[in-house]
Amino acid sequence: MVKFFNNKQKNNSIEELELDMENIPKHIAIIMDGNGRWAKERKLPRTMGHRAGMAAIKKVLKECNSLGVRYLTLYAFSTENWKRPKDEVNALMKLLVEFLRKEINELHEENVRISIIGDITKTPDFCQEEIAMALDKTKDNTGIVLNVAFNYGGRDEIIRSIKKVMEDYKEGKITLEEFNEKSFENYLDTKGMPDPDMIIRPSGEQRISNYLLWQCAYSEFWYSNINWPDFDGEALKKAISDYQNRDRRFGGVK
Ligand code: FPP
């Protein structure tokens, strides 16, 4: 048991947050929501909110890493985000590239493995090139996996996966008898990853927004009113502390 002390005074006593280091979620997935509202509150353009959101990633990744979280999945661009104004879409494409260019060396030194889920074949070439470089550079790293959902939609992922199954079925690589929940998971973008133990959505919204639809079957949801750019290690620890008080039964009984 490791004790973290929140330095904010509450009722004249130091609020103590205890985390059970034996029960740290292996996989945390985050919907990085509230960037637009964060910017609006400051009379800034929405893209500045996304930029501030990008800065929050480092803080949260660092905390996940030091707590022993193995996978951090971040929703950076959904299959529905193409409906946003062209300038905002372009800014989001460029931000991912900027993030990878700026951070890749440090991430690599920290043994972070970059992974991508989503259909990046539909993103601009400059994104695909930068992503390919980051994936290649960090492919042998054994530390935390930073899994970025980019042009990702849960329904799109399931349809793309079913198409791959159909191809394999046509070629005789899989039979009807072999097709089940376990074998289907090998066709998903998240192949080889554990399902998220916890899905965090800041900014007060409480919906799944086409995120990890297959994988979230038994994920614990955690919502907070903080906008993503203000999310930090303390907020993450609060989320994990709440998670540790949940009774996960996976449909069974205890
Ligand atoms: C949702 O907030 C956020 C997004 C659609 C984009 C998230 C992207 C980043 C944090 C930066 C780039 C990512 C990486 C991995 C470098 P919103 O715009 O819907 O906020 P609102 O609901 O307040 O308008």
Side-chain angles (χ1 to χ4, degrees):
M1 189 80 82
V2 170
K3 289 179 180 180
F4 291 100
F5 291 91
N6 192 339
N7 55 12
K8 273 180 230 132
Q9 294 274 331
K10 215 178 182 187
N11 303 330
N12 289 333
S13 66
I14 291 175
E15 194 189 335
E16 188 183 310
L17 207 55
E18 272 189 10
L19 289 187
D20 174 0
M21 296 307 281
E22 302 297 311
N23 185 22
I24 296 292
K26 208 182 256 175
H27 184 172
I28 296 180
I30 305 182
I31 301 178
M32 303 185 288
D33 200 10
N35 298 343
R37 276 161 285 168
W38 182 93
K40 196 172 174 199
E41 280 164 14
R42 289 160 181 77
K43 300 190 169 37
L44 293 168
R46 291 178 56 79
T47 50
M48 291 302 285
H50 296 313
R51 188 165 279 285
M54 181 168 84
I57 293 174
K58 257 185 110 170
K59 289 186 272 181
V60 172
L61 175 68
K62 220 170 163 185
E63 195 65 55
C64 281
N65 202 19
S66 65
L67 290 174
V69 174
R70 302 298 300 145
Y71 296 83
L72 175 65
T73 299
L74 301 175
Y75 211 176
F77 193 88
S78 79
T79 45
E80 287 71 39
N81 286 154
W82 297 105
K83 293 181 209 155
R84 295 188 175 210
K86 218 173 164 189
D87 283 356
E88 186 172 342
V89 169
N90 286 340
L92 286 167
M93 297 289 142
K94 286 185 187 153
L95 268 187
L96 176 71
V97 169
E98 182 182 322
F99 175 80
L100 292 175
R101 277 195 193 145
K102 266 198 201 151
E103 308 295 343
I104 195 66
N105 287 335
E106 195 181 327
L107 292 172
H108 185 46
E109 274 162 30
E110 294 291 328
N111 202 19
V112 176
R113 180 158 68 81
I114 306 284
S115 164
I116 297 277
I117 55 171
D119 185 2
I120 57 160
T121 65
K122 300 206 172 79
T123 66
D125 287 349
F126 68 88
C127 286
Q128 294 187 49
E129 284 156 18
E130 204 62 39
I131 288 169
M133 278 196 278
L135 294 178
D136 186 58
K137 191 174 175 106
T138 63
K139 66 179 188 306
D140 297 323
N141 290 350
T142 54
I144 187 169
V145 175
L146 175 60
N147 185 34
V148 182
F150 202 62
N151 192 27
Y152 176 86
R155 289 181 173 182
D156 179 68
E157 179 192 29
I158 291 169
I159 293 294
R160 283 187 290 104
S161 306
I162 291 173
K163 284 184 176 168
K164 288 186 241 166
V165 174
M166 288 164 101
E167 285 296 330
D168 276 4
Y169 180 73
K170 257 196 328 206
E171 291 171 23
K173 290 183 186 160
I174 188 165
T175 63
L176 273 183
E177 291 68 36
E178 286 162 350
F179 186 58
N180 53 37
E181 289 185 17
K182 248 325 17 59
S183 60
F184 183 56
E185 283 172 0
N186 290 326
Y187 290 87
L188 292 167
D189 296 349
T190 50
K191 177 183 171 182
M193 298 181 199
D195 287 342
D197 298 294
M198 176 164 61
I199 297 188
I200 294 177
R201 182 164 195 159
S203 91
E205 309 288 359
Q206 300 192 0
R207 53 178 173 267
I208 193 71
S209 298
N210 204 9
Y211 197 36
L212 301 168
L213 295 185
W214 174 277
Q215 298 85 344
C216 76
Y218 280 100
S219 303
E220 298 294 327
F221 288 94
W222 194 80
Y223 304 103
S224 98
N225 288 326
I226 307 169
N227 287 323
W228 171 250
D230 291 328
F231 207 88
D232 57 11
E234 282 306 312
L236 182 87
K237 283 189 269 186
K238 174 82 181 64
I240 295 178
S241 168
D242 281 2
Y243 165 88
Q244 293 184 337
N245 288 316
R246 306 272 178 101
D247 181 17
R248 300 189 79 192
R249 294 188 302 279
F250 299 94
V253 282
K254 278 219 172 119

